[in-house]
Amino acid sequence: MNATGQFALLLKITRSHEIARRYFVVNGFDGALTTLGIIVGFYHAGDSTVPVIVSACLGAAIALGISGISSAYISEAAERSKALRELEEAMITDLAESAHGRAARLIPIAIALVNGLSPFVLALLIIAPLWFSPLFASIPLQPLEISILVALVVIFLLGVFLGRVSGRFWLLSGLSTLLIALATGVIIWLVSPG
Amino acid sequence: MVSVKRLILDVLKPHVPNSLDFARTLAEQGAGYRVNFTVIEVDENTETVEIVIEGEDVDFDAITQALSSLGGSLHSIDQVEVVNDA
């Protein structure tokens, strides 16, 4: 069995593809909404420079990424270790070298990467227009406005993805998450001083 | 040359991989292998299965290695059929 087949077997044994998908959406949504919140805050304040905004967003993205990796690894490693121990007791044998043992070691790492990289990558995607703001000089929108638009599109697409997973109508699911993002933006706008 | 034509094994296995994946992996151990899988007993975390493997020359070591790599545990060899081809 090749490496891809082996990994697919480990995912199947632990039924982890559903967990990874859930973590991708939950933490990805966290990352996108947090970044949107920071950008809306800066947009409302009005007098911040692009490097300051990028630093703040990047700091949040890195913190979300590291928090996602460490928390998911700690909890998944504990869960997998417990499941392996229970199976070993039932089988009355050491399963460390079996697919179950390999899954207990490798799957927490894979899930932790999904959990940590999803908010980090989505946040990078949202702040990319700020980073590359000189390239958008000819567009009649400010880089902050483009970033807000990208954030709304990313959040809408996460909703579409959830809709396809759950079998709900994709547009309705996308509009639901978009509505949450818009409500968040409005709340931040209303409570921000100035 | 002595070759193993048929083996009946009593194996304890976890519920996952399921019987189909388990049998498929065992069949992949040699060209022309025929694998027959019968679930004898099901417990909370495990199941006892009887596995019949037929082939021109069944490689017992490869079979036991595949069994343990999938988390299975060989309890006994219940039947063998061996032929001297010489």
Side-chain angles (χ1 to χ4, degrees), chain A residues 1 6 9 12-15 86-87 90-93 95 97-100 102, chain B residues 12-18 21 25 28 45-46 68-73 75:
Chain A
M1 201 183 288
Q6 281 279 349
L9 174 68
K12 199 170 180 179
I13 283 175
T14 52
R15 299 186 175 100
E86 284 173 359
L87 190 58
M91 296 283 301
I92 322 170
T93 187
L95 293 172
E97 295 309 314
S98 71
H100 298 79
R102 285 197 303 281
Chain B
L12 182 70
K13 70 176 269 305
H15 292 313
V16 282
N18 64 25
D21 290 333
T25 305
E28 281 170 2
N45 294 313
T46 60
S68 49
S69 80
L70 294 174
S73 173
H75 277 185

Side-chain angles (χ1 to χ4, degrees), chain B residues 27-38:
Chain B
E28 281 170 2
Q29 302 310 308
Y33 279 14
R34 285 174 65 87
V35 177
N36 186 297
F37 222 86
T38 310

Side-chain angles (χ1 to χ4, degrees), chain B residues 7 12 17 19 24 31 39 46 55 58 61 67 75 78 85:
Chain B
L7 280 172
L12 182 70
S19 299
R24 222 177 237 151
V39 177
T46 60
V58 176
D61 288 339
L67 274 177
H75 277 185
D78 288 351
D85 298 319

Side-chain angles (χ1 to χ4, degrees), chain A residues 95-166:
Chain A
L95 293 172
E97 295 309 314
S98 71
H100 298 79
R102 285 197 303 281
R105 291 189 295 274
L106 295 177
I107 291 299
I109 297 172
I111 288 180
L113 287 175
V114 169
N115 198 44
L117 289 180
S118 64
F120 181 70
V121 170
L122 293 184
L124 285 188
L125 204 65
I126 293 166
I127 60 175
L130 298 171
W131 226 321
F132 302 109
S133 51
L135 299 177
F136 297 102
S138 59
I139 299 175
L141 284 173
Q142 287 183 36
L144 273 178
E145 289 167 348
I146 300 174
S147 274
I148 290 170
L149 277 179
V150 171
L152 294 175
V153 169
V154 164
I155 290 169
F156 173 76
L157 289 177
L158 278 173
V160 169
F161 177 69
L162 272 183
R164 293 184 88 87
V165 169
S166 66

